[in-house]
Amino acid sequence: PERPVEVDPTAFGRNYFDRASAPEQEDEDDAEEREAVLAEIAALKKLAADYAHPERPVEVDPTAFGRNYFDRASAPEQEDEDDAEEREAVLAEIAALKKLAA
């Protein structure tokens, strides 16, 4: 009875995250899945409202009608820099050979 009782102070530490009364923690995957589901629900809600109320104005993104003059079927074929340089070299060789042949 004469010796004092030694107690480790960490033995009485309280864990606020794993206790029974702690709010439930959500995994990162579950949070991402929940956000994806909520985004899909919002899109479906907007689609349903547009369907139910055709008198509402249609929202259009102006970039949806942009025209690409480079990738369309009727655009002139574009030549990249390496092919252009090679073509110039071949034409120069042909001109030199023509000069030698004449």
Side-chain angles (χ1 to χ4, degrees):
E2 292 87 29
R3 285 187 8 200
V5 177
E6 294 181 16
V7 178
D8 185 15
T10 59
F12 295 102
R14 187 164 182 191
N15 187 346
Y16 290 96
F17 302 105
D18 291 337
R19 69 184 196 277
S21 62
E24 190 172 329
Q25 298 292 321
E26 186 173 50
D27 290 18
E28 189 173 329
D29 294 335
D30 292 341
E32 289 174 2
E33 180 72 21
R34 183 175 45 82
E35 287 180 22
V37 168
L38 289 175
E40 186 176 349
I41 288 172
L44 288 173
K45 182 178 179 181
K46 184 181 181 317
L47 184 66
D50 290 344
Y51 184 79
H53 300 283
E55 69 276 0
R56 288 186 179 169
V58 177
E59 297 174 11
V60 179
D61 183 15
T63 59
F65 296 104
R67 187 164 182 187
N68 187 349
Y69 290 97
F70 303 105
D71 290 339
R72 67 183 196 280
S74 62
E77 195 168 316
Q78 297 290 323
E79 180 172 58
D80 58 350
E81 196 172 315
D82 293 335
D83 290 341
E85 290 173 1
E86 187 176 341
R87 184 174 49 81
E88 291 294 326
V90 169
L91 289 175
E93 285 180 25
I94 291 173
L97 288 175
K98 226 181 209 186
K99 201 176 219 181
L100 284 174

